Structure formats: C-alpha cells, structure tokens
Amino acid sequence: MSESMNISPPKLPLKFLKWFCNPDMVEDVEGDISELFSKRLKQNKLKARLFFTLDVLLLFRPGMIRKFEPINKIINYAMVRNYIKIAQRNAVRYKGFTLLNLLGLVIGIAASTLILLWINDEVRMDKFHTKGDKIYQLFRNMRQSGGIVNTTFTVPKPAADMLRNEYPEVTQTTQVSWPVTFRFSLEENGSDEVGRYVTPEFLDMFSFPLIAGDKASVLADLSSIVVSETVARKFFGKDWREETIGKTLRLDGTRDAKITGIFEDIGDNSSLRFDFLLPAQEFYSRNDWVDDWGNGSFGVYFTVDNEIAAKTVAERVLNEIKVHAAGQDNAGDEELVIHKYQDYYLYSNWDNGVINGGRIDYVNIMSVVAVFILIVACINFMNLATARSGRRSKEIGLRKVMGAHKKSISIQFYVEAFLLTSIAVVLAIGIVIVLLPYFNILVEKSLFLDFTLLQTWVYFFGIIIVVTVLSGSYPALLLPTFNIIQSLKGTVKQSSGAAYFRKGLVVFQFAISTLLIIGTSVVYKQINYILTKDLGLDKENLVAVSMEGDLGRRLDTYKTELMNIPEVKAVTGSSGNPLNYGRSTSSANWEGKSPDAGYEINIMLTDYDFIQTMGMDMKLGRDFSNELADSTNFIINEAAAELMGFDDPLQKDLSFWGIDGNIIGVVKDFHMADMYEPIAPLIITCISPGSSSVAFVRIQGSPNSALKSIEKVTKEFNPAFDFDYQFVDESFAETYRAERTLSTLAGIFAVISILISCLGLFGLSAFTAERRSLEIGVRKVHGASVPQILVLLSKDYSKLMLIAFILAIPFGYYFTQKWLDDFEFRTALDPFVFLIAGILTFLIGVLTVSAKSYQAATVNPTDSLKDE
Amino acid sequence: MGKYSIGEFEEVVLLTVAILFENAYGISIKEEIEKRLSRKVSVGAMRTALNRLEKKGFLISEFGEATAVRGGKRKRFFKVTPYGKDALEQVMETRKQLWDAIPSIAFDFKFA
C-alpha cells in the first residue's frame, strides 16, 4: 500500500482536468479517479497511467466542463473599475516612468502611422481605374549585342494597330504619347501646358471623368482638344463651365485646336499626368515615320478580359517586331513584353528585360521600419513594467491573499497596458495631425488622416490591441507568478530568466537602431557619391535653356547675342541634356561590324562648341573645329569605341541615318543616364546644329544677373514663349529625389528609433540605480569614487550595446549591399560606416545610462543609508 | 412515464445508489454497477449521470471525510431523496402496468 501511495497520477491530465472541470465537482471527481488509479497501480503501473488519462479524456464532456464566460459580470465590472483606479494611482505616483512609457509609445505609434500613411498612398497609386485590373501596357526590349537589354515604353505604331485589329483577346487598345509641351494662347493670354496625344479609346479605358463633352466623341476630330479644369479656369475665369466648350486655342502660334471637352484635374493618385489631350491621329498624320516597324512611337495600352487572355497575348506578341521588321536596315533585335498597368508604379525597374522591383523596394523597407519602430516602443513598455514589478509585488501579494486568481492579476496588467496604449494612441493621432503638413512636404504627397474611412478606425483599434498584447503580455504573464510570501515581504527575486529576457530586449532595440543608422549612412554615402561623382562633364554653373518654336534654326545668331552677355563664358546647342539622354538608332554601321549584330547607339546632335562648353575631356583625337568643316566627322565616347572594337578608332568610317563620315575623336565617358545604368555607347555629330532643342550656357559670376540677361535675350528672340531654364546640377540632383527622400526618412526614423530605445534605457538604468542605492552608499562610505561607481553601473549596459552592435553588422551588411547592388556605379561598403554607426549608438546608450547613474553616484551616502 | 423523466442508465445509477445506501460514492457506485450488470462504466459517464440526477432532485450529495488514499480529496456521498424514491416507484409501476397489459398469447412462441 505504502509503495503505491508514493506514485502520484500523471500530472498533465490532472492539470487538464483541473482546468476544464466544473469547480463544484472537481474535488470528488479528482478523488475518484485518483482512487481508481491507486487501485489499478497494484496491477500494472503503465496501464494505470493510461487508464487515468483515458478517464480524464472521457470526463471531458458537456455536463463536466465548466462555464468559460467571465465568472461573474458584476464582480468583473467592479474589479475592472478597481484596476483602472489602481493604474491611475500608479501612473500619477511614478510620473517619470509613466512619462517615459507614454513618450516612447506615442513617438513609436506616431512614426509608424506616418509611415503607414505613406505606404498606403504608394500602394493605392493608379488603382482607381474601374478597368484597372484588365489594363496592360506594351514594352519593347531592345537587345544589344553586348547582352544588355534596354527597355522602353515606346512601341512601333503598327504593333498597336495589330493588337487592335488582329488579336481577338484584346478588347480595347489605346496609344498614349510621352508628355508634350505646347504654348496655348487665346487673344493676349498665354501659358505653357504639358499634355499628351492619345487615341479616342483612352478616355473609355482609363477612368478620367469628363466634366463636359462626350468621351466617345471628344477626340474624334483632328483639330479637337480636351483640357483640364485648371486650364479651363486659367483661360475662361469663373464662368469656365459655360465658356470653355467650342472655343479655339492657338497652339505654339502655329495651329488652332477647338476645345471639345473638359476633364477633371488629375489626382495625386495617378502616375499618368497631363493637362490636355490631343488626338494622336493628328500627330500621326504629320509624321509618317510612325508607320515603320523599326521606330518606336507612343506608349500602347490594351485591355483583356482575364489573365489567361493576357498570357495568350504575351506569347503571341513577343516576336511581332522581329517578324515584321525583318530585312529592314534599322531592324533591331527587339521583343515586345506586356506588364499590368496598375502594378507598374510599384514594379517599374527593368533589369535586362524583366521587371525587378522598383518603388516596391522602398515600400517594403519602410514597412519593415514601421514594424521595427513599433516593436522597439513596445519593448520599452515591457522592460519598464517588469523592471518596476518589485514595486508592485506587495500589491500583487495582497491581491493573491485576498483570493485573486493569477488570471485576474494578468487581466489587471492587460487593463493597465490597454489604458496606457489608448492614451498613447490618442496623443499620437494628435501628433500625426500636427506633423502631417511637414511630412507631406518631405515626401511630396498630400496625405491626410481620413476619419470617415472605416479603415482608419480599424487601424487605430488594431494598433491599440496589438500594442496592448505586445507590451502587456510579458508583465501580465510574469508578475502573477510571484510567490505570495516573498512578494508580501517585498523581497521578490526575479528569476535570472526574466533579467536575461529584459537584456535580450534591450539588445534587440539597440541592434535595430544600429541597423537603421547603418542603413541611413550607406544611403547617404551613396547619394553623396552620386552627387559628387565626376560625371565626365562640368555640371556646375551650367544653365540649360529650352529652345522653343523655331529658335533652333536661329541658333547661330542666338548664340552670338548670348555671348555678348559678360557673365556668359560659352554657349552650345544640343538635342538634349547629356546627363539624361536617350535618342538612339540601330542603323549605325562601321568598319568591321558584323552584319547580323544589332546595336542600339545613342546619337547626340550638337554644334562645334559642345565638348568645350560642357567641359568634357577628349581621350583621343581632337574636338570639332569650325575651320576643318567637321559636319560629317563624328566624336564617339569610350563605350562606343569599346563596342566597335577598334584598336585605333581615329579616322575609321562610321555611318548612321544614311550619313557617312569618319571618327575624329573619342570623348571620355560621361554619364548619360542615372547611376543604375551603365554608360551607353554614343555618337556625337555637329551635322545639324539647327536640330538643337536645348541651349547650354556656361556662366560665371552672379547666376542671378546672368539669368536675367539670358532671359532678356531669349524673350527678344522668342517673345511668344515662356523662358524655361534649369541649372544642370539641380536637375541632376532632382533625378535622385526618391533616393534622397529615402535617405531623409531613414535618417529621421533612425533617430526616432534610437530615441525610443534611449527612453527605455534611461528608465532601466534609473531602476538599477534605485535598486542598488544601498550598495552605492556602502561603496562610497568605503571610499569608492564617483567615476568608479559610474563604471560599475554602466558596465552591464555597455556590454549589451556591444552585443547589439555585433548583431547588427551582418544584417546591416546584407541589406545595404543588396540595395547598393542595384546601382551600376556605387560607393564601396566601408567598414568605417559600420564602426561609426556602432560607436554612435554605443556613445548615446552609455551617455543615457551615465546620466542617470551619475545622479545616483553623487547622492550623499548618508541619505541612502539612513533608512537601514 | 408521467412527471418523472428518467433514463435507463440513470435508473440503474439511482437504484445502485439506493443499494449502497450510506456508502454510495463515485467509485463504489461504479464498481457496484460493473459487478451487478457486468458492463463497463466510465467515471465520466457515471459522474454526469449522477450530476443530472442531483439536478433533477432525485439525489442529494454531501462530502465525507478526506482520506489519504485519494490524494487528500474528499468523497462525495450520494443519497436518494424521497422524490427520487417516488420516481423509481413510478418507473417500476409503469413497467408493471405495461407487463400486465401484454396479452398472454403475445409471448406464446410455440407456433412462431
């Protein structure tokens, strides 16, 4: 008997029974099955255990299972009121801690909300079209012999016609041009507007609503034009609704267009932007080159009914250009691919002919940052709450003595977390509303908190619940486990596990902060690298003036007049900005070129002064010269020289567009596209300076007075047009706007993350200092100096910072390297960056700890010891 | 069955409680049923039946003294109430009436 008595029934089933069984019955039922168990033990130990488990499982039935509703609603209500009151008293009593806690949460929630607003806006871009999920765009992959694929949205017009007429799957097709600028004039009023040529189906396919006019017919007539509400208001004042339709605008002073419709202004949620629409047919009727399979023209959009149809079209359209352009001398190795229109805003990076990310990368990065910041803020809450639990131990002990369940104590801590989180969310909403205008300027959006949307409410309540659970769970699960007697004595020793967990959380916080600092530094360094890189030309003090109308043909006299301005050093005309150039041909031919190879080579039309004005360097040969009649001589860049494979390119024959000539020089490579792209081959010719569309003016001295004089001269030549200019270095910097915004945002959020982490650390070190005040007092009495005590108190946390830093390095390396890999030209990952980030975080962390520790170390020991 | 609703298993349990008289608690009831009816009874089935009977007012229960054999848990002893006795009598009465109503020829299987 005594032997079997010692063996107790299996624990787990018993625990389960105690959990589910109706409390009225649990005692005798447990007794019954224990008795059975001990009886069975005499026969077989294993069997007894098995039967015991089986008994418990068979007891799990209706009639035995207790009710799982709140035990008693009236008591619960009273208790919750008590929890709220106690939470309130605690919050007021320890103002400092409450403030730290709240501040961390508020900053974290506000920052995450701002980021999520931005993400939400990015994701919703172009999603408003009713046929949105059916619209696809056609792209053209131009395969170079070097293995590189360039992708463009310009597609030969015959391909669009084919889609429209011969593809049964395609339900609608439209062509949309690149943005075009026209000078609109009506009587004496005039303004420059940017719009697009489109085919009539455009307004039906895309959901740009018309205020006036019928979308089926507004673009039917070749001389028609549809304008935006803004343009209508500009020309027709407050009566624009009645006045606009039927009026005639003069375009560029050369032809008339009759207004047949008005469309609502394009919202910020559209990536297709325009202020007027002209019939594409009008453009086609003036340009027969569009009918050639070898020339890319307007962008092509089409709709299909479903994904399967899209796939069929994609397979069939792939080789249409190769088939139809075969045998033509400008036929390139080209393929047509399709891409869903509404995804294009986020996925628009072509990498060798296939989509590889795009803005979605930034959206992903920011999502991760938002989640991280929220977690960092929650960790603060957890750490402060558990660290301070010693103060609450008596309360917990007393509650337990009075019969509180563990469960009701966890509920209490959840209620506290919930209260604090709710207050934090309300404050965060206030902060977001105040900060949004500034944030909008930063990210160039018009974001706002829309409280009429259910989504917004769901988000904020979601945040409250998530943060409550994240930050309340640890204290709510840990604190109720305290031993009653110890907690009443006030000598609760937290298990080393809890301390390790807390330290782990601090490490996590600082690792994230370090990671963000590393990311910010690398992005900043890359942008700095781009902006200061030697581009192969001198972009400072260079003004680009666009030459409207027929000014190009009067280039010589225009240049002479400009040169008379004292601040002007040099002037040149060119067919485009050399830093952002894309006008290419596949018809170039040179000595030794293999007849089958297709190469897309850029052609730049300039005048004799181009190389010199731009400040480019010649690598070989000579610059164009006025005296030597160089109109059929060409200069190529290094990339072209390499592509053509000459040992000595000078005096080699080269032809394109039917022009034969010789190479007289090789210019050092300059950047013709952004740093994501390699430098493309280029031929520079001065055969037709009259084709120039931009004049580049090298200025010296005061840019303001130079600009004024240039404007005066330009206005004299072209009175009908606005003076349109750009500083080349500024427009270059503008190209990297997304990257610069990312760098600013990453910087701000890195600061926020480290700020929140420091708030938590400050609280923790305050807690440590307080707990060890007696020890400090004793040490001081025995002659310890303030610095010694500082070191003593900071040592633990310094170790954590170090671990955080070591953890952050591999992740930082991986993510930043991945981001940099997208760039063709990039700065090297410098270990120095990591070191600086680490030292910075370390210093900030240690300073935070020391600030509090110093206070503790300078306390007069008599004060801390007198209570003992 | 009139005003008393009682199932077959419940009836067995109730009768067993009456048989055991002052020693009717979980295990003894279980064993008694198993012995007399030679069928297996699980603690769960029996305990829910007892529970139902108590709720219907056929049984009352009280805790006994704690014993070491049961891990210090007290036994719950059951006792049949007068109301329970009425129910049992009524069931028996009903059965009897039914038996009496069977024509004697019905069980005459000679010609079957």
Side-chain angles (χ1 to χ4, degrees):
Chain A
M1 188 80 190
S2 62
E3 189 200 354
S4 57
M5 287 279 300
N6 291 337
I7 301 165
S8 54
K11 290 239 165 51
L12 194 70
L14 199 60
K15 240 184 172 171
F16 178 60
L17 175 79
K18 282 180 178 164
W19 174 71
F20 75 76
C21 188
N22 189 327
D24 288 341
M25 292 186 260
V26 72
E27 182 174 353
D28 64 277
V29 168
E30 194 192 328
D32 283 355
I33 56 172
S34 304
E35 192 182 328
L36 264 183
F37 174 75
S38 51
K39 277 184 181 165
R40 286 175 185 144
L41 259 185
K42 287 168 196 155
Q43 303 161 11
N44 184 326
K45 222 166 106 185
L46 183 72
K47 218 169 165 184
R49 294 176 77 86
L50 270 176
F51 273 112
F52 185 86
T53 312
L54 190 71
D55 278 338
V56 170
L57 287 179
L58 284 172
L59 277 164
F60 189 69
R61 55 167 73 203
M64 297 303 296
I65 299 173
R66 67 185 164 91
K67 285 190 179 129
F68 276 92
E69 297 157 20
I71 307 153
N72 187 320
K73 286 198 171 120
I74 300 164
I75 291 174
N76 244 19
Y77 173 69
M79 281 318 286
V80 167
R81 264 205 345 201
N82 173 266
Y83 298 154
I84 293 174
K85 184 177 268 174
I86 297 295
Q88 200 184 344
R89 284 180 186 163
N90 264 308
V92 175
R93 179 143 177 229
Y94 304 108
K95 290 191 188 71
F97 276 107
T98 313
L99 209 67
L100 283 182
N101 242 339
L102 262 185
L103 209 59
L105 273 183
V106 168
I107 295 174
I109 294 171
S112 310
T113 306
L114 285 176
I115 300 176
L116 282 169
L117 276 174
W118 179 83
I119 291 171
N120 187 39
D121 191 74
E122 286 285 293
V123 171
R124 283 194 358 213
M125 195 75 163
D126 287 336
K127 298 275 166 29
F128 64 95
H129 300 288
T130 42
K131 293 185 188 169
D133 57 334
K134 295 178 178 163
I135 304 175
Y136 286 78
Q137 189 176 3
L138 216 49
F139 288 89
R140 185 161 57 116
N141 280 337
M142 301 181 290
R143 200 171 292 278
Q144 315 289 304
S145 285
I148 297 163
V149 179
N150 290 337
T151 305
T152 167
F153 72 92
T154 65
V155 171
K157 177 173 173 282
D161 294 337
M162 194 156 206
L163 225 50
R164 187 178 281 124
N165 301 325
E166 296 173 25
Y167 280 61
E169 299 87 0
V170 174
T171 45
Q172 208 168 31
T173 310
T174 187
Q175 285 120 292
V176 181
S177 78
W178 44 84
V180 291
T181 309
F182 278 110
R183 176 84 188 165
F184 284 8
S185 42
L186 180 85
E187 289 149 21
E188 21 333 324
N189 296 328
S191 76
D192 286 340
E193 302 294 344
V194 180
R196 289 170 192 262
Y197 286 102
V198 295
T199 55
E201 305 94 335
F202 175 78
L203 285 168
D204 190 43
M205 187 186 296
F206 293 96
S207 305
F208 297 112
L210 287 179
I211 300 171
D214 169 35
K215 67 181 178 185
S217 64
V218 282
L219 288 167
D221 193 84
L222 286 198
S223 62
S224 59
I225 185 169
V226 187
V227 296
S228 70
E229 187 185 327
T230 306
V231 171
R233 278 179 194 278
K234 216 184 268 181
F235 282 94
F236 304 99
K238 63 183 195 316
D239 293 329
W240 60 276
R241 271 174 203 280
E242 294 77 36
E243 297 282 317
T244 311
I245 300 292
K247 292 282 166 32
T248 302
L249 288 172
R250 196 148 181 83
L251 308 187
D252 277 0
T254 52
R255 66 186 187 89
D256 291 324
K258 195 170 133 192
I259 302 174
T260 51
I262 309 167
F263 54 84
E264 286 177 15
D265 281 341
I266 308 301
D268 290 332
N269 53 356
S270 173
S271 59
L272 262 178
R273 310 203 65 81
F274 46 89
D275 261 319
F276 64 83
L277 295 172
L278 286 166
Q281 212 49 48
E282 193 275 324
F283 180 88
Y284 293 149
S285 67
R286 287 183 283 121
N287 297 279
D288 11 330
W289 59 263
V290 296
D291 290 320
D292 191 319
W293 274 97
N295 296 325
S297 68
F298 296 166
V300 176
Y301 300 85
F302 63 93
T303 52
V304 289
D305 280 334
N306 51 49
E307 305 264 329
I308 303 160
K311 221 173 151 208
T312 318
V313 172
E315 278 162 17
R316 192 175 154 193
V317 84
L318 187 69
N319 289 318
E320 292 284 19
I321 294 186
K322 266 186 226 158
V323 172
H324 289 87
Q328 294 185 14
D329 60 352
N330 61 353
D333 183 2
E334 299 181 343
E335 285 172 352
L336 287 173
V337 290
I338 72 171
H339 189 44
K340 205 166 190 171
Y341 166 72
Q342 64 180 11
D343 294 343
Y344 191 62
Y345 178 74
L346 289 177
Y347 299 86
S348 60
N349 267 2
W350 291 99
D351 190 4
N352 267 331
V354 283
I355 290 284
N356 178 18
R359 288 186 77 94
I360 189 72
D361 296 339
Y362 293 124
V363 170
N364 288 340
I365 292 175
M366 286 330 251
S367 313
V368 171
V369 170
V371 171
F372 272 179
I373 287 187
L374 209 57
I375 292 178
V376 166
C378 290
I379 288 178
N380 258 7
F381 191 109
M382 280 193 237
N383 271 347
L384 291 178
T386 49
R388 281 174 54 224
S389 57
R391 283 204 181 132
R392 302 289 295 273
S393 68
K394 279 189 185 154
E395 179 196 334
I396 296 165
L398 199 58
R399 277 183 191 273
K400 279 186 156 183
V401 167
M402 302 306 281
H405 294 272
K406 277 182 189 173
K407 202 179 85 186
S408 61
I409 293 173
S410 359
I411 289 176
Q412 181 187 357
F413 283 97
Y414 276 120
V415 168
E416 279 187 25
F418 175 78
L419 285 179
L420 211 59
T421 311
S422 306
I423 295 171
V425 163
V426 171
L427 290 177
I429 290 176
I431 287 184
V432 167
I433 292 173
V434 171
L435 286 184
L436 255 182
Y438 305 98
F439 188 67
N440 275 335
I441 294 171
L442 190 69
V443 299
E444 288 158 337
K445 281 186 185 292
S446 42
L447 308 172
F448 65 101
L449 267 180
D450 189 352
F451 285 107
T452 59
L453 278 183
L454 181 69
Q455 212 190 348
T456 316
W457 293 99
V458 170
Y459 166 73
F460 281 115
F461 280 109
I463 281 274
I464 290 182
I465 289 165
V466 168
V467 174
T468 301
V469 170
L470 269 183
S471 54
S473 282
Y474 186 55
L477 296 179
L478 174 79
L479 302 193
T481 61
F482 285 177
N483 179 298
I484 299 181
I485 296 165
Q486 282 183 359
S487 43
L488 279 176
K489 272 191 185 159
T491 55
V492 171
K493 270 223 182 100
Q494 287 185 21
S495 66
S496 56
Y500 274 120
F501 187 68
R502 206 153 58 222
K503 282 177 183 169
L505 291 177
V506 171
V507 168
F508 184 71
Q509 277 184 316
F510 275 85
I512 287 177
S513 302
T514 315
L515 198 62
L516 284 175
I517 292 180
I518 291 175
T520 313
S521 328
V522 172
V523 173
Y524 180 79
K525 208 164 160 250
Q526 169 68 7
I527 289 169
N528 199 41
Y529 168 82
I530 292 171
L531 296 183
T532 55
K533 186 175 190 305
D534 178 13
L535 300 172
L537 58 82
D538 181 9
K539 66 182 190 306
E540 316 292 330
N541 296 320
L542 191 62
V543 184
V545 181
S546 64
M547 295 196 283
E548 311 284 353
D550 66 343
L551 188 57
R553 261 170 271 154
R554 292 175 283 156
L555 182 66
D556 276 343
T557 45
Y558 180 53
K559 272 170 77 173
T560 319
E561 280 299 313
L562 285 177
M563 287 303 283
N564 286 336
I565 303 170
E567 289 96 343
V568 170
K569 258 164 72 181
V571 184
T572 182
S574 156
S575 52
N577 182 351
L579 288 181
N580 183 14
Y581 197 76
R583 180 163 173 183
S584 62
T585 177
S586 50
S587 73
N589 240 315
W590 56 87
E591 293 178 53
K593 181 193 173 195
S594 105
D596 316 323
Y599 295 103
E600 199 73 17
I601 296 181
N602 287 284
I603 307 288
M604 190 175 279
L605 300 154
T606 62
D607 61 16
Y608 287 94
D609 302 318
F610 180 72
I611 301 283
Q612 212 199 339
T613 311
M614 287 297 170
M616 294 172 180
D617 290 323
M618 297 300 295
K619 190 170 185 226
L620 278 176
R622 61 175 177 83
D623 189 3
F624 294 127
S625 157
N626 246 327
E627 288 87 49
L628 294 168
D630 276 330
S631 64
T632 59
N633 288 337
F634 311 126
I635 292 176
I636 60 176
N637 68 355
E638 289 173 275
E642 194 184 329
L643 177 79
M644 295 172 188
F646 299 128
D647 291 332
D648 175 19
L650 297 184
Q651 296 311 317
K652 292 288 191 310
D653 292 337
L654 177 65
S655 70
F656 61 90
W657 295 348
I659 310 159
D660 295 316
N662 292 312
I663 299 168
I664 55 158
V666 177
V667 67
K668 277 195 177 156
D669 275 342
F670 57 90
H671 282 276
M672 288 192 296
D674 56 40
M675 300 286 169
Y676 293 101
E677 308 290 335
I679 293 173
L682 171 76
I683 302 170
I684 303 172
T685 169
C686 58
I687 190 167
S688 167
S691 314
S692 300
S693 56
V694 192
F696 289 91
V697 186
R698 172 76 60 195
I699 58 171
Q700 55 192 352
S702 147
N704 280 339
S705 71
L707 267 182
K708 265 192 198 119
S709 313
I710 296 170
E711 177 170 9
K712 203 170 141 241
V713 172
T714 313
K715 273 286 186 195
E716 275 166 25
F717 273 83
N718 248 355
F721 294 91
D722 291 341
F723 175 61
D724 184 17
Y725 75 96
Q726 260 179 335
F727 282 98
V728 172
D729 51 351
E730 282 172 11
S731 75
F732 176 75
E734 193 71 357
T735 320
Y736 300 96
R737 197 145 79 172
E739 286 80 358
R740 281 188 303 160
T741 311
L742 175 74
S743 127
T744 322
L745 286 182
I748 290 174
F749 292 122
V751 169
I752 286 177
S753 157
I754 196 151
L755 185 74
I756 301 175
S757 308
C758 283
L759 285 178
L761 196 57
F762 187 77
L764 278 187
S765 52
F767 162 72
T768 318
E770 185 191 286
R771 216 185 37 183
R772 296 173 76 172
S773 61
L774 283 182
E775 180 197 339
I776 295 168
V778 172
R779 280 177 191 272
K780 283 192 84 173
V781 168
H782 284 84
S785 66
V786 170
Q788 276 171 331
I789 288 173
L790 264 185
V791 169
L792 177 80
L793 288 176
S794 316
K795 209 171 54 192
D796 282 354
Y797 291 109
S798 307
K799 259 187 252 161
L800 300 186
M801 306 286 110
L802 221 60
I803 298 172
F805 172 55
I806 292 166
L807 273 180
I809 289 178
F811 290 102
Y813 178 80
Y814 173 76
F815 290 122
T816 49
Q817 189 61 52
K818 213 168 150 236
W819 182 73
L820 282 178
D821 279 347
D822 283 346
F823 288 90
E824 184 70 26
F825 298 92
R826 55 178 179 254
T827 171
L829 258 190
D830 195 343
F832 200 59
V833 167
F834 289 78
L835 214 60
I836 291 279
I839 291 173
L840 199 67
T841 329
F842 186 79
L843 280 184
I844 295 174
V846 168
L847 266 179
T848 312
V849 175
S850 308
K852 199 65 212 180
S853 306
Y854 181 76
Q855 209 183 351
T858 49
V859 170
N860 188 335
T862 49
D863 289 335
S864 49
L865 291 176
K866 71 177 176 206
D867 298 331
E868 207 56 5
Chain B
M1 295 261 166
K3 58 178 183 168
Y4 306 106
S5 85
I6 184 165
E8 188 259 349
F9 183 63
E10 285 174 4
E11 188 190 342
V12 170
V13 173
L14 197 54
L15 285 166
T16 314
V17 171
I19 294 169
L20 288 167
F21 190 47
E22 294 200 311
N23 189 32
Y25 74 99
I27 300 303
S28 66
I29 302 170
K30 177 175 138 74
E31 282 171 349
E32 192 69 22
I33 298 175
E34 283 174 351
K35 200 173 78 194
R36 285 181 186 270
L37 276 67
S38 30
R39 56 182 275 190
K40 280 271 159 204
V41 180
S42 81
V43 180
M46 186 204 55
R47 192 61 182 80
T48 38
L50 286 169
N51 213 24
R52 274 199 305 273
L53 289 167
E54 190 173 3
K55 227 176 241 167
K56 286 174 186 169
F58 300 152
L59 285 177
I60 49 164
S61 70
E62 57 186 1
F63 279 117
E65 293 297 310
T67 54
V69 171
R70 297 161 54 90
K73 304 292 173 197
R74 290 173 293 173
K75 290 176 183 171
R76 187 187 285 275
F77 288 105
F78 293 90
K79 227 162 102 184
V80 182
T81 61
Y83 184 59
K85 180 176 168 273
D86 287 353
L88 283 172
E89 280 170 351
Q90 160 105 41
V91 171
M92 202 170 67
E93 200 60 34
T94 321
R95 291 263 167 83
K96 215 171 157 239
Q97 282 168 20
L98 288 173
W99 272 104
D100 290 347
I102 300 172
S104 55
I105 197 158
F107 288 155
D108 194 353
F109 296 112
K110 276 175 195 156
F111 309 107

